[in-house]
Amino acid sequence: GEDLSHTGLLHVPEKLSQCPAVAPGCAEVLREPGCGCCLACALSSGELCGIYTAPCGSGLRCTPRAGDPRPLHSLTRGQAVCTEIPEPEPTSQPQIQEQAEPDLEMDNTAIISDPGSSLYLSGHNKPYDPRAAADAQESMKAKLIAIRKKLVEQGPCHIELQRALEKIARSQQKLGDKLTRFYLPNCDKHGLYKPKQCESSLDGQRGRCWCVNSWNGKKLLGSADVATDTECP
């Protein structure tokens, strides 16, 4: 617990004199999160931590427990745990993703322009833990990739196709060989409906066909069923 105000480390002796003393015999001493003025005894693996606690030791990161329903709450209340930072896996996957999503960086900056300065927690005047902010930015990035992929892959027709496949799988378990006719949406590469939709049949009979609106798959008003070799408008 020596007084650091005379060591010349910082020019705010009156602030430093208010720093809590570091316990003797501490294995690792690190600067506190936040302003990083005071020194604190680093927490070891498995110890409870949070945004306002002493920092986790080298090679450890303060992370909420797996499956925690309120991870941010745990970080602000000191209920997260010092966990070993996993070794980055030797894979080229991240680079591929970066090349495939060149404009994602821009999207992120619009949402989290500066994690250090903008993410203040209401009711606290201390800035957000930069490690947690980096994690938040990573998960936001993953969400954006997922949303974008979903928009491309899952047009209205693709979503209905997924549901239809699940329904058929369930019917097949119940009906077995009796399931001879079913409808699977006919989708184009954008996930919209092709103008002509037909029933599928397993009994060798031709299923009926009809013309639809490409956006919502609804049968065109006033149109009769069409022959399988007829083109729809």
Side-chain angles (χ1 to χ4, degrees):
E2 59 180 346
D3 182 3
L4 293 175
S5 57
H6 305 303
T7 61
L9 277 178
L10 282 138
H11 307 292
V12 279
E14 67 287 351
K15 282 269 175 68
L16 275 173
S17 63
Q18 294 163 19
C19 286
V22 176
C26 173
E28 185 182 8
V29 178
L30 292 173
R31 297 208 172 277
E32 272 188 340
C35 76
C37 310
C38 297
L39 295 178
C41 189
L43 300 169
S44 54
S45 181
E47 285 195 89
L48 289 179
C49 60
I51 293 170
Y52 306 119
T53 66
C56 293
S58 301
L60 301 174
R61 181 191 290 159
C62 187
T63 52
R65 287 183 173 85
D68 187 337
R70 299 166 72 193
L72 191 59
H73 183 268
S74 298
L75 281 167
T76 55
R77 298 289 183 279
Q79 297 296 310
V81 184
C82 289
T83 320
E84 285 185 32
I85 298 170
E87 287 293 309
E89 289 175 28
T91 168
S92 56
Q93 195 61 32
Q95 282 90 16
I96 292 169
Q97 208 156 42
E98 287 302 322
Q99 289 160 5
E101 300 285 339
D103 52 342
L104 252 174
E105 290 300 326
M106 297 309 296
D107 293 6
N108 273 350
T109 47
I111 293 164
I112 304 175
S113 54
D114 175 6
S117 64
S118 60
L119 283 176
Y120 275 65
L121 290 160
S122 56
H124 297 289
N125 58 356
K126 296 187 182 182
Y128 196 84
D129 178 351
R131 287 171 296 187
D135 288 350
Q137 196 154 4
E138 273 310 301
S139 77
M140 181 65 73
K141 191 169 183 176
K143 273 200 191 89
L144 280 170
I145 291 169
I147 289 167
R148 181 163 301 176
K149 205 168 167 193
K150 212 165 187 174
L151 287 174
V152 174
E153 283 180 4
Q154 305 211 337
C157 185
H158 274 157
I159 292 169
E160 193 188 340
L161 180 59
Q162 286 303 115
R163 287 190 193 132
L165 286 167
E166 286 162 18
K167 194 171 164 188
I168 287 163
R170 285 197 299 273
S171 302
Q172 211 159 15
Q173 285 169 353
K174 282 189 208 147
L175 299 170
D177 294 341
K178 293 197 196 84
L179 179 72
T180 56
R181 292 209 168 194
F182 49 88
Y183 166 59
L184 284 179
N186 188 7
C187 308
D188 67 14
K189 65 174 189 282
H190 304 296
L192 299 175
Y193 295 84
K194 287 193 174 172
K196 187 165 80 181
Q197 300 289 317
C198 295
E199 263 182 346
S200 301
S201 101
L202 299 174
D203 57 6
Q205 303 273 323
R206 282 193 166 189
R208 62 188 191 89
C209 298
W210 60 94
C211 299
V212 301
N213 174 317
S214 293
W215 288 97
N216 60 20
K218 297 261 189 297
K219 187 174 176 179
L220 293 180
L221 281 174
S223 68
D225 286 357
V226 295
T228 45
D229 51 2
T230 306
E231 286 304 307
C232 284

